[in-house]
Amino acid sequence: MRQLVCLTMLSLCWIAIPIIADDTPRGGETHVLFDGSTLDGWRGRDDLWRVEGGAIVGTTNDESPIQANTFLISSTTVEGDFELTLQYQIEAGNSGIQYRSRVLDEEAFVVGGYQADIDSTGRFTGILYEEKGRGILATRGQEVVINAKGKKQPTTYAAADDLAKGIHAGEWNDYRIRVRDNRIEHFINEAMMVRVEDQQTEKAAKSGVIALQLHRGPAMTVRFRDLVLRML
């Protein structure tokens, strides 16, 4: 019975599937974005990013601090609904995971768009921030509807400090980002951090790149591993 239902639904929804480039991930596909040993499929500053111990490592220092946020950018452009899973570990500073983002400066590796935040203090970890855009869209523990005019209508479903207790400072944490149409959810160690519905059509991104952030300021180190993209 289940197979018959799926076939019927597929036939009904076929006309809604967009025509996309051959190298764009399609619904149902799973893509490993990092092979564990090289930065193949990524681009960024060679002096800041490397692979070590099966992880992508981004490092800045106080001797020659970076003057602006810079990113390691995936060559994969993602359209449609998806779930991105990975593990991260951070030492000092702050970072984030960009998705449905646009490249603004190819030479400086600057992107703008939705960002699942990470920081060493736990203050911003889990929030939804829009880099080079509308700023903080939801803080940890918030469910937010952004209406067509850009007004945010937040509801608090959990205390930010309570959610922070499940985030392991200085250790590996699981991050999961789920995006369906204009609905966004962030999970850390399987606890939901934010839920957002972005109805501001002219600013709500439908597609874009995935990227990892190094933030300007004091020296920092961030690590990422097990990056897997699953199209929904």
Side-chain angles (χ1 to χ4, degrees):
M1 179 63 71
R2 179 173 296 178
Q3 289 179 335
L4 291 175
V5 171
C6 291
L7 288 172
T8 302
M9 290 301 293
L10 181 60
S11 64
L12 290 174
C13 296
W14 174 254
I15 58 173
I17 297 175
I19 298 173
I20 54 180
D22 289 342
D23 59 350
T24 302
R26 290 172 168 79
E29 294 182 348
T30 297
H31 298 260
V32 176
L33 299 180
F34 170 53
D35 63 16
S37 57
T38 73
L39 291 178
D40 291 350
W42 297 83
R43 61 192 188 276
R45 284 182 51 173
D46 292 338
D47 59 327
L48 301 179
W49 297 97
R50 67 184 188 276
V51 176
E52 181 181 279
I56 295 173
V57 183
T59 304
T60 65
N61 60 69
D62 290 327
E63 289 69 35
S64 54
I66 60 175
Q67 301 303 311
N69 299 347
T70 187
F71 296 80
L72 185 69
I73 306 170
S74 171
S75 61
T76 301
T77 297
V78 182
E79 297 184 9
D81 301 340
F82 67 89
E83 188 169 81
L84 175 65
T85 57
L86 57 88
Q87 291 187 320
Y88 79 88
Q89 182 186 63
I90 188 166
E91 301 169 16
N94 67 76
S95 178
I97 306 142
Q98 287 274 321
Y99 53 94
R100 282 190 174 177
S101 300
R102 62 199 184 281
V103 180
L104 302 176
D105 187 333
E106 190 65 64
E107 293 186 0
F109 306 104
V110 175
V111 305
Y114 295 132
Q115 179 167 295
D117 247 34
I118 299 167
D119 77 298
S120 59
T121 68
R123 178 182 176 186
F124 299 109
T125 300
I127 75 167
L128 174 56
Y129 180 80
E130 189 177 51
E131 181 90 358
K132 306 294 185 183
R134 293 168 288 176
I136 295 175
L137 300 182
T139 60
R140 194 168 56 236
Q142 282 190 332
E143 183 170 354
V144 178
V145 175
I146 304 170
N147 70 19
K149 295 183 178 180
K151 182 178 179 180
K152 293 186 289 186
Q153 301 167 316
T155 301
T156 299
Y157 65 85
D161 289 346
D162 288 343
L163 290 173
K165 294 175 183 176
I167 301 170
H168 312 307
E171 300 178 14
W172 287 103
N173 292 271
D174 296 317
Y175 220 130
R176 181 161 61 94
I177 300 162
R178 184 163 61 196
V179 181
R180 288 184 179 272
D181 192 24
N182 65 348
R183 298 179 296 279
I184 296 167
E185 294 173 324
H186 295 171
F187 300 83
I188 297 179
N189 299 326
E190 287 309 308
M192 189 172 71
M193 300 287 116
V194 297
R195 175 183 285 147
V196 175
E197 183 175 333
D198 193 352
Q199 300 175 355
Q200 194 175 7
T201 306
E202 72 274 15
K203 295 192 176 182
K206 299 296 184 183
S207 64
V209 299
I210 292 168
L212 309 175
Q213 185 193 64
L214 277 173
H215 204 283
R216 67 183 178 87
M220 62 167 292
T221 298
V222 64
R223 294 176 171 84
F224 300 93
R225 67 185 184 190
D226 298 337
L227 291 95
V228 176
L229 174 72
R230 183 171 65 91
M231 302 304 296
L232 303 176

